[in-house]
């Protein structure tokens, strides 16, 4: 007879990224002798609590896609780079930002949802807010070093273009004022807009998860209503200078985050037969091709002349700040195709060519920050020493190699054993395991 089991997700992995995968823990040796009453409930609770700490296998697809996204972000941040034609934004409405937010929302609920559902709301909140604090510190450090990098290049080469192009001129003129604006996430140089969005979403994740584990459909509906109201009434967080707002509107982008978490609760499984149907696949492919045609009109006047004017009025502007529906639906169409042809056991996930992407994806936060520095370095190199096509290809490849090397160093560092153990954590785990073993022995004796 098959043993009853409980599938639960894992805790965050060492690098601040989020592990993904399922494991199965047998609840009782003999289903016919499952204990009842308070003792049985206590054993089940202890087993469930211990199972939350069991390490599990990572979903390599998430590492792969995050790594690809990091490379695309690096390329997209380098102006006038021919290699950036490989990125998603040049072939459709959405780009790397969408699936980064989606993966973050999915993992946040997949990992911490069971904690919240079992009454560990404060513990989940602590972990999520700790992660948000780490991202905040990373953002401030990135801001300071990035600004210093640009200021040094502008003054050393007597080229004020860098200060204006990356929106740091005002900071260099009034650092006393803009330091405070940066600390409150109001002032952000170019290319530093996305981390504040992640910080906000992760900080609000405990409340989202608390609602999702109880009323997932109503929570998703509330998220959609907030999205509509934010677009209708132009709700957004204030930025600096006064009169400006965040480039990524968190009131709009939360919809993608909550939708991903809604899928992680188990609702995607309920509709999996529909998602994998030929009709949905055909509609998704058609929408991807339509987006491709529209994007190509941005580069060809002839193709642009073939688009009816009424259609142009209907689809433009395709707003990234407020997560335009064209972007959202395009991402969902891509997700449908990818989920169909890249299953969890896809052979290429263990192939050598995917290793650099997975390596970067396992250390997404530090590699993202490092990629921002590299993108400016690549831009500076092409401005100062020429930006012909061979130079563009060369700096892009160099950036990929440096990012991969940095991820490899982080990966090797993480493998160094930690010989220092928190005594309180050790004693708590030991007591929990001992208590469960005693209860199981009592059941066996009876």
């Amino acid at each position: 007879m098959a043993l009853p089991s409980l599938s639960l997700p894992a805790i965050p992995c060492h690098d601040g990224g989020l592990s993904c995968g399922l494991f199965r823990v047998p609840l009782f040796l003999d289903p016919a002798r499952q204990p009842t009453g308070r003792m049985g409930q206590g054993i089940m609770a202890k087993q469930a609590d211990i199972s939350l700490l069991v390490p599990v296998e990572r979903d390599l697809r998430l590492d792969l896609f995050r790594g690809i996204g990091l490379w695309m972000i690096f390329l997209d941040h380098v102006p006038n780079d021919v290699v950036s034609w490989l990125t998603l934004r040049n072939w459709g409405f959405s780009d790397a930002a969408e699936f980064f937010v989606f993966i973050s929302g999915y993992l946040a609920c997949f990992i911490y949802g069971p904690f919240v559902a079992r009454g560990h709301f404060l513990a989940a909140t602590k972990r999520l807010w700790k992660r948000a604090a780490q991202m905040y510190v990373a953002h401030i450090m990135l801001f300071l070093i990035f600004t210093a990098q640009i200021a040094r290049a502008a003054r050393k080469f007597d080229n004020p273009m860098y200060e204006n192009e990356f929106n740091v001129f005002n900071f260099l003129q009034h650092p006393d004022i803009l330091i405070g604006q940066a600390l409150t996430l109001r002032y952000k140089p170019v290319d530093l807009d996305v981390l504040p969005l992640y910080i906000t979403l992760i900080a609000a994740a405990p409340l989202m998860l608390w609602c999702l584990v109880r009323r997932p459909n109503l929570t998703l509906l509330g998220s959609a209503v907030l999205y509509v109201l934010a677009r209708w009434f132009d709700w957004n967080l204030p930025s600096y200078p006064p009169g400006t707002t965040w480039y990524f509107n968190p009131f709009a982008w939360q919809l993608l985050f909550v939708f991903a978490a809604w899928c992680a609760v188990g609702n995607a499984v309920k509709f999996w037969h529909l998602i994998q149907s030929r009709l949905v696949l055909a509609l998704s492919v058609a929408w991807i091709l339509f987006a491709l045609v529209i994007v190509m009109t941005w580069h060809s006047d002839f193709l642009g002349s073939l688009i009816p004017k009424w259609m142009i009025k209907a689809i433009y502007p395709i707003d990234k700040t407020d997560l335009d529906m064209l972007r959202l639906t395009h991402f969902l169409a891509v997700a449908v195709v990818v989920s169909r042809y890249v299953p969890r056991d896809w052979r290429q996930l263990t192939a050598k060519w995917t290793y650099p992407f997975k390596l970067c994806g396992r250390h997404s936060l530090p590699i993202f920050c490092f990629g921002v520095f590299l993108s400016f370095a690549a831009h500076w190199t092409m401005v100062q020493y020429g930006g012909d096509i061979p130079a563009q290809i060369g700096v892009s490849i160099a950036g990929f190699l440096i990012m991969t090397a940095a991820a490899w160093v982080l990966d090797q560092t993480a493998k160094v054993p930690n010989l220092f153990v928190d005594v309180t954590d050790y004693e708590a785990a030991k007591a929990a395991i001992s208590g469960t073993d005693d209860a199981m022995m009592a059941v066996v004796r009876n």
Side-chain angles (χ1 to χ4, degrees):
M1 180 180 294
L3 297 179
S5 57
L6 176 66
S7 296
L8 291 172
I11 59 176
C13 61
H14 57 81
D15 64 339
L18 299 173
S19 299
C20 182
L22 289 177
F23 61 94
R24 305 185 70 81
V25 181
L27 290 180
F28 300 104
L29 299 177
D30 186 357
R33 299 183 61 186
Q34 294 184 7
T36 58
R38 293 184 178 180
M39 178 179 291
Q41 294 175 358
I43 295 174
M44 294 178 68
K46 288 181 179 292
Q47 284 257 340
D49 290 342
I50 293 174
S51 66
L52 290 171
L53 304 177
V54 177
V56 295
E57 182 183 359
R58 300 175 70 99
D59 188 337
L60 298 181
R61 294 175 299 176
L62 300 178
D63 289 335
L64 174 64
F65 294 139
R66 283 194 295 190
I68 293 174
L70 289 167
W71 285 30
M72 288 196 296
I73 290 174
F74 163 72
L75 291 175
D76 289 338
H77 285 175
V78 181
N80 303 318
D81 185 2
V82 67
V83 186
S84 66
W85 273 94
L86 298 175
T87 65
L88 184 61
R89 74 172 185 178
N90 292 291
W91 305 95
F93 298 139
S94 60
D95 57 26
E98 274 81 5
F99 64 79
F100 257 100
V101 172
F102 183 88
I103 291 175
S104 298
Y106 184 90
L107 287 175
C109 186
F110 186 79
I111 292 171
Y112 295 103
F115 286 85
V116 176
R118 295 185 179 280
H120 301 294
F121 175 77
L122 292 180
T125 300
K126 176 183 176 181
R127 295 300 296 259
L128 287 166
W129 283 2
K130 181 179 179 180
R131 180 58 175 164
Q134 292 172 345
M135 296 170 67
Y136 176 80
V137 172
H139 172 72
I140 297 302
M141 293 299 297
L142 175 62
F143 164 77
L144 293 175
I145 300 175
F146 184 64
T147 304
Q149 182 187 29
I150 296 173
R152 183 177 182 277
R155 292 177 180 177
K156 183 176 181 179
F157 296 93
D158 193 23
N159 191 344
M161 176 196 71
Y162 298 120
E163 300 176 355
N164 297 319
E165 185 177 4
F166 290 90
N167 190 30
V168 301
F169 177 80
N170 289 332
F171 174 79
L172 299 177
Q173 299 299 316
H174 307 283
D176 55 332
I177 298 176
L178 270 72
I179 280 289
Q181 299 294 333
L183 292 175
T184 56
L185 303 180
R186 292 167 63 93
Y187 170 67
K188 300 173 287 293
V190 175
D191 297 343
L192 269 65
D193 301 283
V194 69
L195 267 182
L197 172 66
Y198 293 146
I199 294 169
T200 304
L201 294 176
I202 295 300
L207 177 60
M208 297 178 186
L209 299 184
W210 188 87
C211 297
L212 278 166
V213 298
R214 286 161 175 79
R215 296 290 187 272
N217 293 334
L218 287 179
T219 303
L220 181 61
L221 176 61
S223 175
V225 170
L226 177 58
Y227 169 85
V228 173
L229 293 177
R231 291 182 60 89
W232 185 268
F233 294 105
D234 293 327
W235 291 348
N236 199 344
L237 295 180
S239 188
Y240 188 90
T244 61
T245 56
W246 281 28
Y247 182 73
F248 289 96
N249 183 357
F251 296 115
W253 281 81
Q254 56 79 29
L255 176 61
L256 182 57
F257 188 89
V258 173
F259 175 74
W262 178 85
C263 293
V265 171
N267 291 280
V269 177
K270 297 178 182 179
F271 299 98
W272 195 246
H273 65 285
L274 179 62
I275 296 173
Q276 296 293 291
S277 65
R278 293 184 178 180
L279 175 60
V280 172
L281 177 63
L283 292 175
S284 299
V285 172
W287 187 242
I288 292 172
L289 293 176
F290 171 77
L292 174 62
V293 172
I294 295 299
V295 170
M296 289 300 103
T297 63
W298 303 346
H299 309 284
S300 171
D301 293 335
F302 172 73
L303 290 177
S305 64
L306 301 179
I307 305 299
K309 293 183 178 180
W310 64 266
M311 183 178 294
I312 294 177
K313 293 181 179 180
I315 64 176
Y316 289 114
I318 304 175
D319 187 16
K320 184 174 184 178
T321 294
D322 293 324
L323 187 59
D324 194 277
M325 263 302 153
L326 294 180
R327 294 181 62 95
L328 178 58
T329 53
H330 178 263
F331 164 77
L332 295 178
V334 173
V336 167
V337 175
V338 170
S339 66
R340 185 181 182 93
Y341 293 106
V342 185
R344 187 185 177 92
D345 58 350
W346 188 44
R347 291 184 178 181
Q348 298 301 315
L349 291 175
T350 56
K352 292 183 178 180
W353 71 269
T354 61
Y355 176 74
F357 299 108
K358 294 181 296 184
L359 193 61
C360 292
R362 285 201 294 268
H363 306 277
S364 56
L365 179 59
I367 296 303
F368 167 80
C369 296
F370 195 46
V372 172
F373 300 135
L374 289 177
S375 64
F376 177 77
H379 178 49
W380 170 83
T381 301
M382 290 191 292
V383 170
Q384 297 299 139
Y385 301 103
D388 55 4
I389 291 181
Q392 296 172 27
I393 297 175
V395 298
S396 298
I397 295 176
F400 296 155
L401 295 176
I402 295 173
M403 290 170 66
T404 304
W408 182 85
V409 171
L410 292 172
D411 206 56
Q412 295 302 310
T413 303
K415 294 178 181 179
V416 176
N418 182 14
L419 302 180
F420 301 93
V421 180
D422 191 324
V423 176
T424 56
D425 290 346
Y426 172 77
E427 293 296 338
K430 181 179 178 181
I433 295 173
S434 177
T436 302
D437 290 342
D438 293 342
M440 290 294 294
M441 289 300 298
V443 172
V444 174
R445 286 196 298 270
N446 292 333

